[in-house]
Amino acid sequence: KDLRSQLSALGSQDDTDDVDLVPLSRFSLRNFITAVLVVIALFVVLTQLNMRTVIDSVHHASPSFAALSFIAGCASWIGSAITLGTYMDSDKRRALDVFISQVAQSFAAVSMPAGIGPAFVNLRFLRKTGHKNNSATAVMTATVAVQFATVFSILIIFGLFTGNNGITRLVPTGTLAIVLGILGLIIALSMIITPVRKLIMTKLVPPLKNFARQLLFLITQPQKLALAVMGSIIQNLLLGLSFWAALRAFNIPANFIDTTFIFLVANTVGSAAPTPGGLGGVETSLTVAFTGVGIPSAMALSAVLLFRVMTYWIRIPLGAAAMSYMNKHNLM
């Protein structure tokens, strides 16, 4: 407080009124968590992923299918750009800037868990393009809602047509029931405790209500909803194509629909890992899922590593270049 008062005294009243307060602390929880996640990522890379195996996998892959995997992975940015751009204000939307913001997410994935990095980049981009906080939050809510609903719908449709049940292959049904039962019990017991109940009602319920209102807002705009869903479908199908190409690069016979279904399930489960870009979790879940359908583990691991090289590691420099562009043009 003394430091703040002395600093304020150095300027005029008009200057100090416009100065934002900056918290000073010896310990930053955010920096600490970030450091922990980086350490976990390094541990995963150095101990669980053999770089010699990665190099061998890429070296023995078919160049044409490996190139297709990379191109399809990069093209998926178009789909996510369509979804985000649909709900932006038309006077603040430039197609090139929206696309580059999606490319920049590949660089954010280096230090942030899967899902958090894209949300952070999108939110910063929306604010820099002139969207106020409430408007930017609304656009983000709409985008996340569409992407979640689209993935869920694709899983249901593909599952019905193929008769495939990839969820039980990754998570046993009995285990899933036990986890859901324990989660329900914890929620019920939490509502009994008055302080916890008040915390939930004041901190958790309002965002959920806002989310529900945004979903209602989506339903009342069918044209925008259809365009956003189309973008999300393009994004997910291209990622499925990218992984299918990675399998074909090792002459693994694979059906595109089956591959996309299993990929979406495994990638969703693996992305829940709290490591940058889902490192470790994505590789493990994809390998387990495709091993479970009869693909030899060595070949499945090779395809997974090739896919991650083409859609994660190689795209990091592209994301860094996009981030530099956004910084120069005051978009980040």
Side-chain angles (χ1 to χ4, degrees):
K1 292 182 179 179
D2 292 339
L3 175 60
R4 184 178 300 152
S5 300
Q6 294 178 33
L7 289 174
S8 299
L10 296 177
S12 64
Q13 184 63 35
D14 293 336
D15 294 334
T16 55
D17 287 342
D18 296 332
V19 174
D20 294 330
L21 296 180
V22 178
L24 301 177
S25 60
R26 296 183 180 180
F27 176 80
S28 173
L29 181 61
R30 180 179 61 183
N31 293 339
F32 175 75
I33 294 176
T34 301
V36 170
L37 292 178
V38 171
V39 171
I40 294 175
L42 291 175
F43 176 80
V44 171
V45 173
L46 296 177
T47 62
Q48 297 187 23
L49 295 180
N50 189 320
M51 293 308 299
R52 183 185 296 270
T53 305
V54 174
I55 295 173
D56 290 342
S57 298
V58 177
H59 178 70
H60 292 94
S62 168
S64 57
F65 278 109
L68 176 60
S69 178
F70 174 72
I71 293 172
C74 292
S76 66
W77 287 325
I78 298 176
S80 59
I82 293 175
T83 303
L84 177 64
T86 298
Y87 291 103
M88 293 179 62
D89 296 340
S90 57
D91 59 327
K92 301 179 177 67
R93 180 178 59 226
R94 291 183 67 247
L96 179 61
D97 292 342
V98 177
F99 176 77
I100 290 179
S101 71
Q102 304 309 292
V103 180
Q105 294 176 3
S106 298
F107 184 71
V110 179
S111 58
M112 298 183 184
I116 295 180
F120 169 78
V121 173
N122 285 341
L123 193 59
R124 291 288 300 171
F125 171 68
L126 290 169
R127 289 174 177 172
K128 285 292 186 177
T129 52
H131 293 78
K132 296 186 178 181
N133 288 340
N134 291 339
S135 176
T137 303
V139 173
M140 276 299 305
T141 304
T143 302
V144 172
V146 167
Q147 291 174 338
F148 174 81
T150 302
V151 171
F152 184 78
S153 300
I154 290 176
L155 291 177
I156 295 297
I157 294 173
F158 279 19
L160 290 175
F161 276 100
T162 63
N164 208 329
N165 190 357
I167 297 177
T168 56
R169 187 177 296 113
L170 291 174
V171 182
T173 307
T175 303
L176 182 62
I178 293 174
V179 171
L180 292 177
I182 294 175
L183 182 61
L185 179 62
I186 292 175
I187 294 175
L189 293 177
S190 300
M191 296 303 291
I192 297 176
I193 305 174
T194 302
V196 177
R197 182 174 67 250
K198 289 182 178 179
L199 182 64
I200 292 176
M201 296 302 294
T202 57
K203 299 295 184 180
L204 184 60
V205 172
L208 291 177
K209 288 184 177 180
N210 183 48
F211 186 77
R213 284 194 296 267
Q214 188 60 45
L215 288 179
L216 182 62
F217 176 73
L218 289 175
I219 296 175
T220 59
Q221 298 188 80
Q223 292 182 345
K224 284 190 173 183
L225 178 60
L227 185 59
V229 169
M230 182 188 71
S232 186
I233 291 175
I234 292 174
Q235 177 187 6
N236 287 288
L237 291 184
L238 284 173
L239 287 175
L241 175 62
S242 177
F243 194 86
W244 175 85
L247 291 173
R248 295 296 299 140
F250 295 95
N251 295 319
I252 301 175
N255 178 278
F256 172 71
I257 294 180
D258 288 340
T259 300
T260 301
F261 176 83
I262 299 174
F263 164 76
L264 289 177
V265 174
N267 188 65
T268 301
V269 173
S271 296
T275 57
L279 277 175
V282 172
E283 288 82 359
T284 300
S285 62
L286 287 174
T287 303
V288 170
F290 284 92
T291 301
V293 295
I295 297 177
S297 58
M299 299 180 70
L301 178 60
S302 296
V304 169
L305 293 178
L306 176 64
F307 171 75
R308 289 293 274 174
V309 168
M310 295 301 170
T311 61
Y312 181 76
W313 295 107
I314 289 184
R315 298 201 305 182
I316 289 176
L318 299 178
M323 191 73 75
S324 176
Y325 171 89
M326 295 181 70
N327 285 329
K328 289 181 180 179
H329 292 80
N330 196 29
L331 296 174
M332 177 57 59

